[in-house]
Amino acid sequence: MRNSSFNNVPESIVGRLASYHRCLKNAASNGQTVIKSSDISKLCGIKATVVRKDLTHFGEFGIKGKGYNITTLSSNIEEIMGLNTEKRVILIGAGNLGTALLKYPGFSGANFKFLAAFDIREEIIGTSINSVPILHIDKLGAFLKSNEVQIAILTVPSQEAETIASQLHNCSIKGILNFTSAILKSDDGKFYIRNIDLSKELEVISFCMKKCLKNKEEK
Amino acid sequence: MRNSSFNNVPESIVGRLASYHRCLKNAASNGQTVIKSSDISKLCGIKATVVRKDLTHFGEFGIKGKGYNITTLSSNIEEIMGLNTEKRVILIGAGNLGTALLKYPGFSGANFKFLAAFDIREEIIGTSINSVPILHIDKLGAFLKSNEVQIAILTVPSQEAETIASQLHNCSIKGILNFTSAILKSDDGKFYIRNIDLSKELEVISFCMKKCLKNKEEK
DNA sequence: TAGATTGTTAATCGATTAACAATC
DNA sequence: TAGATTGTTAATCGATTAACAATC
């Protein structure tokens, strides 16, 4: 691999790498051993030149005239993306969305290990969801002191997001997956914050639909 | 408004419009009536020049030397994005994520009206979640024939996505919000498909975290 | 060797930034 | 009028595309 730090990789490339990775896993489970950029292109809906250019960003993984060895490419992508190291995760806010995420099968593929979930509702404290214990939010600070946690997932009401996020400083947490519509800023650059705003997605589809309907009428 | 069709608006702008909209709503609820691009910038984490440029894409909404009238700008964005028209929606797959979405408060802001949810598990057929009735998936075709539905939300297992999507042709549906990791393609351009892949988000945060940790070590 | 497919280079395209003129 | 902030223009930057040389 050309370079093991990859500090300036645009997020657009990272997102596509994840797509390639899934596509390779699928191809492998079908017994395929080699794949061409044009195949990846069809399966992922991304142009073959983009696929090749993205990959060369990290090294030369292909065999000219043949394509890519699926096992090799797959494990390279896993190393690039850090999918082969376990990440210890807590979830804050075990409501509907939080529960759905605790039960979400996709987390295992990213090597996420849930240590605990936090909530305020007394009736669920002490229970567990998908083997993840639910603790009272009051225990958060102490928990973070005695456990090395890398990622926090925020599924609390939006108006609580800021307060909760402020409690995540000065501990081992390096990434926040923010599902609230509050825009959290990592003022000091200590965190990587990824905002996933479902309401925004809804508004975007609302606009794009409008456009589609209009195009239709014009025809 | 300069132009009422807006056919070639990049998705990046649309996503930001949604952020501006939320920010305006918040400012309005604080009793503010006018807002400057630099304020929007701070609240949304988007540069003021970008804010202004995005808005001029659709018209001139500001008052030089003053800023933007919140009510006017807000309703203009609502019109641009189609937030002021009701969209009839069905949800397919009332599992954990589906249930969370049916209970998600953000849908009302986008003027989404859920007509029904579909599933295969007999034990929940006939019940309802948040007043939305759960019907058997066998009833989907008939339902679409007798109801005008604009959007389908897919929260079925990924391997079912393709099959379900194929049942959505030849009806009124124009938009699909795909929460499965299957990559659905709108081969004929009849649909607008928005893929929201949570696993991908996890892998992206996994990479970005790795980068953050490394930067930290280097310091 | 011939065929195929990668990886690279150069050209195009679009988005972001910076500077400033217009104007409330 | 002076001060402030928008909207526009031009410059920069980065991402995508297309063509093709390298090579398995």
Side-chain angles (χ1 to χ4, degrees), chain B residues 106-118:
Chain B
F107 282 103
S108 53
N111 230 328
F112 277 36
K113 161 129 179 132
F114 280 102
L115 299 187
F118 295 85

Side-chain angles (χ1 to χ4, degrees), chain A residues 4-7 9 11 14-15 18-19 21-22 42-45 79-83 87 96-97 100-101 103-104 106-107 110 112 150-151 174-177 179 181 183 185 190-192 194 196-216 218, chain B residues 4-7 9 11 14-15 18-19 21-22 42-45 79-83 87 96-97 100-101 103-104 106-107 110 112 150-151 174-177 179 181 183 185 190-192 194 196-216 218:
Chain A
S4 64
S5 62
F6 313 130
N7 277 319
V9 183
E11 244 176 62
V14 182
S19 300
H21 184 242
R22 170 154 323 104
K42 264 176 231 139
L43 293 163
C44 296
E79 200 194 321
I80 293 167
M81 299 196 74
L83 301 178
K87 282 153 290 283
N96 296 306
L97 184 57
L101 291 176
K103 295 181 176 172
Y104 186 65
F107 282 103
F112 276 37
Q150 280 105 44
I151 297 178
K174 295 295 173 297
I176 298 179
L177 211 47
F179 280 92
S181 60
I183 294 151
K185 270 162 273 182
K190 271 186 198 160
F191 292 140
Y192 173 77
R194 192 156 181 85
I196 303 175
D197 186 343
L198 295 180
S199 329
K200 191 193 274 189
E201 301 292 345
L202 302 179
E203 299 191 0
V204 172
I205 200 175
S206 177
F207 173 84
C208 295
M209 288 255 322
K210 203 180 160 219
K211 195 169 67 173
C212 275
L213 292 169
K214 197 160 302 244
N215 287 346
K216 203 106 197 245
E218 283 165 9
Chain B
S4 66
S5 61
F6 313 131
N7 277 319
V9 183
E11 242 176 62
V14 182
S19 299
H21 184 241
R22 171 156 321 103
K42 264 176 231 140
L43 292 164
C44 297
E79 200 195 319
I80 292 168
M81 300 195 74
L83 301 177
K87 285 154 289 284
N96 296 305
L97 185 56
L101 292 176
K103 294 180 177 172
Y104 186 65
F107 282 103
F112 277 36
Q150 279 106 44
I151 297 179
K174 296 293 173 299
I176 298 179
L177 211 47
F179 279 92
S181 60
I183 295 152
K185 270 162 273 182
K190 271 187 199 160
F191 292 140
Y192 173 78
R194 192 157 181 86
I196 302 176
D197 186 344
L198 295 181
S199 327
K200 190 192 275 188
E201 300 292 344
L202 302 179
E203 299 192 0
V204 172
I205 201 174
S206 177
F207 173 85
C208 295
M209 288 257 320
K210 202 179 160 221
K211 195 169 66 171
C212 276
L213 292 169
K214 197 158 301 241
N215 287 347
K216 203 105 197 246
E218 283 164 9

Side-chain angles (χ1 to χ4, degrees), chain B residues 41-202:
Chain B
S41 170
K42 264 176 231 140
L43 292 164
C44 297
I46 297 167
K47 291 194 177 173
T49 52
V50 175
V51 174
R52 294 203 299 276
K53 198 141 218 281
D54 282 350
L55 294 177
T56 54
H57 209 276
F58 303 97
E60 298 189 10
F61 304 122
I63 304 151
K64 284 169 179 169
K66 293 274 184 182
Y68 300 87
N69 176 295
I70 291 180
T71 314
T72 312
L73 184 55
S74 198
S75 66
N76 269 298
I77 292 181
E78 282 160 22
E79 200 195 319
I80 292 168
M81 300 195 74
L83 301 177
N84 44 10
T85 57
E86 187 182 270
K87 285 154 289 284
R88 283 179 298 277
V89 183
I90 56 167
L91 181 136
I92 308 175
N96 296 305
L97 185 56
T99 303
L101 292 176
L102 287 172
K103 294 180 177 172
Y104 186 65
F107 282 103
S108 53
N111 230 328
F112 277 36
K113 161 129 179 132
F114 280 102
L115 299 187
F118 295 85
D119 206 288
I120 45 163
R121 291 170 299 144
E122 292 295 348
E123 65 269 28
I124 62 164
I125 308 297
T127 66
S128 67
I129 299 173
N130 202 19
S131 306
V132 179
I134 319 263
L135 311 179
H136 195 281
I137 189 81
D138 290 347
K139 302 275 195 295
L140 178 61
F143 189 91
L144 290 172
K145 276 208 183 75
S146 51
N147 291 274
E148 177 111 344
V149 181
Q150 279 106 44
I151 297 179
I153 299 179
L154 245 61
T155 43
V156 296
S158 300
Q159 61 272 22
E160 310 290 341
E162 197 80 56
T163 315
I164 299 287
S166 68
Q167 296 178 46
L168 301 176
H169 287 270
N170 302 319
C171 69
S172 53
I173 288 179
K174 296 293 173 299
I176 298 179
L177 211 47
N178 174 30
F179 279 92
T180 79
S181 60
I183 295 152
L184 297 178
K185 270 162 273 182
S186 168
D187 18 51
D188 51 8
K190 271 187 199 160
F191 292 140
Y192 173 78
I193 297 178
R194 192 157 181 86
N195 297 300
I196 302 176
D197 186 344
L198 295 181
S199 327
K200 190 192 275 188
E201 300 292 344
L202 302 179

